[in-house]
Structures are given as C-alpha cells and as structure tokens.
Amino acid sequence: MKTSAWPPAAPLAARAALSAALAALAGAESPTLTAQALLAHVLGITRSRLLAHPELPVAPDQRAAYEQLVARAALGEPLAYLTGQREFHGLDFLVEPGVLVPRPETELLVDLALARRPGRILDVGTGSGCIAVALAANLPQAVITAVDLSPAALAVARRNARRHGVLGRLTFLESDLLSALPASSLPAPGRPASSFQLIAANLPYVDRGALCDLPVARHEPWLALDGGPGGLALVGRLLRQAGPWLAPGGALLLEIGAGQGPAAQSLAYAAFPAARCQVHPDLAGHDRVLEVALPGPVRPA
Ligand SMILES: C[S@@+](CC[C@H](N)C(=O)[O-])C[C@H]1O[C@@H](n2cnc3c(N)ncnc32)[C@H](O)[C@@H]1O
C-alpha cells in the first residue's frame, strides 16, 4: 500500500508542510522552488517571509489547499497556473490556463523594442498581454494595439493592462493576425499615415509535428504553441501581411525558435527585400528574435 508523504492531520508548521511537499514532488521540475512558492501562495505571504519563519502555522484549510496544489504540480501543471501569476520584465502578470505562461526568453524582444522607443505599436498574439503591457509601462507616450485570436487571452490581457495602469493606452482586438485591423488606419491619399512604428509578435512557432511529444502541450493552449508544419507558418503569414501597416523607418520584432533564424530571415527578405534583417540570440545563444528594420526616416513618437 502506498503511504502518504503527509503527516496525519494535526496542527502543522510550515517546515513540516514543506518537507512533506518535497517528498510528494520528487521527480517534478524544481521541487524546492515549487513547494515554497505554493506554500507562500496558500499562506498569502512572500517566499522570503516563509523562509525566514518556518515555524509559521498552517491551518487545516490551508493544508488541504496546499496538498491539492502540490498534487497538481506533481502531475506537471505549470506553477504559474497554480498560483495564477508569473513575473515578466519586472511586473506581475495574471495567468490562467487559457493563455501561455510568459517566458523569460521573451524579455529580449521587449528590450529590443524599448531600445527603438516606438510611439505606435502593434502586438500580435498578445496572450497574457505581457509584451504590450511591459512596453506601455516603460514607454509613457506609446499607444498600443494588441490583437489575439483567442477571446479568453484578450480578457486576461485586458485585466493585466488594468492592473498595471496602462489600460487607457491599449486597444484590444480579436483578430486573425492583422485581418480585423480597421482599414481606416492605413495611409491613403490626403490622409496622414497612422501606421505602426513597431510590430511586435511572439506568435506560435513550434513545429506541429513535434508538438504532440512536448510536455508543454499537455497544459498550455495548443493555439499558443502550434506554428503549423515547420513552425514558421504564422510568422511567414504575418511578414506577408505587415508591409502596409508599417511606417517608414519602422520595424518588426518577431520571436522565433532555436534554429529557425535562417528560415525566418529568408521569409523576411522575401517580404521586405530592402529591409535590414537580423537574428538576435538569447542568453543561451539560441536564435530568438528576428528584427526586420525598414529603410526610411524614423519619426519621433
Ligand atoms: C506563443 S503565445 C504568446 C503570448 C504572449 N505574447 C507571450 O509572449 O507570452 C501566441 C499567442 O498568439 C495567439 N495566436 C495564435 N494564432 C493567432 C492568429 N492567427 N492571430 C492572432 N493571434 C494568434 C495565441 O492565442 C497566443 O495567445
């Protein structure tokens, strides 16, 4: 008979709860961090306070909630879905199973975008809104349109924008890539261009053929991961659609997967033969962001 890692019901100190959770999480990813983060979440305190006070009591209802969360973590559910939040670019983002958990690799795209100081920005495939909200929080003059195919993701992104006080400068739109953008935004004879100085996108880029075997696909939305055959189907479609929406001197910054740099660069040159196309590696040295910089004067925001 399998014995439980948890001591029999009795008043429990945080220290004892943590060691029971560690035993239950054996084999899971980052068991120590997961056990601590979940207990801090259940107790409503920071992880550093928990570590400083291992004698804190865990009430019976807190213990029951903790046991349940630890069991879900042991089955591979991402920590961010269990606590309902994830830090990204120094800000706390609400997340839930309908959206991709923001990844640290994506912070590179935000840093490259901030360096350009764009005033009018489009974020395609906004998910939790982490890119759009981080840009709005750091660029007080910027106005941003954020699109996604998923209404559930847009609802989370809107909550994150409100949470960080930037809702007034963001417009959310349900759209398949750029198809639902109002044509009235396009430049026309006699009408000044109000097109974007930056199009940022972290679209799905996992090769569909590899997706079934990836543990990530068991918990995070397929729509956020499936990049079609080869992985670059959506990136290619966006590159082909983006031209009319970009201001002279504007740029695209697109997150891509490790090893996708050369193929992504060819797609970019096919769509923008006069542009400067560059692949930026992440901290691990993997291809991570494709930058497509259009020629032309860069107008101030
Ligand atoms: C990889 S997730 C990125 C989410 C977020 N930007 C981030 O960096 O964490 C890709 C997002 O693109 C959205 N998406 C997928 N196909 C799309 C399409 N054809 N048009 C617009 N958004 C799409 C998904 O719903 C998902 O939210």
Side-chain angles (χ1 to χ4, degrees):
M1 194 178 82
K2 193 171 181 290
T3 54
S4 167
W6 298 88
L12 201 61
R15 179 189 294 111
L18 282 173
S19 58
L22 272 179
L25 288 167
E29 206 179 313
S30 315
T32 306
L33 172 71
T34 303
Q36 294 170 352
L38 289 177
L39 188 54
H41 171 68
V42 165
L43 297 180
I45 59 176
T46 62
R47 204 161 64 89
S48 42
R49 179 159 162 73
L50 170 66
L51 296 182
H53 294 283
E55 76 289 354
L56 281 173
V58 181
D61 57 329
Q62 292 172 323
R63 173 197 166 135
Y66 187 46
E67 278 191 48
Q68 277 187 11
L69 290 175
V70 168
R72 286 166 62 188
L75 292 174
E77 204 169 324
L79 179 58
Y81 288 160
L82 300 175
T83 61
Q85 54 186 27
R86 170 54 51 94
E87 196 246 82
F88 177 82
H89 215 272
L91 300 171
D92 262 335
F93 283 86
L94 303 169
V95 287
E96 56 185 45
V99 297
L100 190 90
V101 177
R103 303 294 205 270
E105 303 89 275
T106 305
E107 293 180 353
L108 171 64
L109 188 154
V110 173
D111 290 336
L112 291 165
L114 290 176
R116 301 186 71 89
R117 306 207 64 76
R120 290 187 308 279
I121 302 172
L122 174 66
D123 175 26
V124 187
T126 197
S128 64
C130 60
I131 294 173
V133 171
L135 291 178
N138 285 281
L139 297 169
Q141 309 302 324
V143 286
I144 303 179
T145 302
V147 305
D148 204 291
L149 198 50
S150 155
L154 288 167
V156 173
R158 203 173 276 116
R159 283 165 61 205
N160 278 317
R162 187 176 299 115
R163 182 176 217 207
H164 293 295
V166 296
L167 189 57
R169 287 185 289 119
L170 264 70
T171 303
F172 293 98
L173 195 62
E174 186 181 330
S175 178
D176 175 10
L177 299 181
L178 312 188
S179 60
L181 288 179
S184 57
S185 307
L186 283 171
R191 190 174 65 215
S194 59
S195 41
F196 302 103
Q197 291 157 330
L198 175 71
I199 297 181
N202 176 16
L203 284 165
Y205 53 73
V206 181
D207 175 8
R208 185 175 293 167
L211 201 47
C212 293
D213 299 328
L214 293 182
V216 68
R218 275 194 279 133
H219 297 283
E220 296 189 73
W222 191 272
L223 182 64
L225 299 166
D226 179 12
L232 287 174
L234 282 160
V235 167
R237 259 178 73 206
L238 176 60
L239 283 163
R240 290 189 291 277
Q241 291 182 8
W245 298 98
L246 269 173
L252 283 138
L253 287 169
L254 310 181
E255 182 164 322
I256 55 172
Q260 291 180 337
Q265 227 169 352
S266 321
L267 290 170
Y269 277 124
F272 296 96
R276 179 178 54 78
C277 301
Q278 194 183 349
V279 174
H280 298 270
D282 60 21
L283 290 174
H286 298 133
D287 296 344
R288 189 57 60 199
V289 177
L290 170 71
E291 178 176 13
V292 183
L294 266 57
V298 182
R299 296 224 178 77

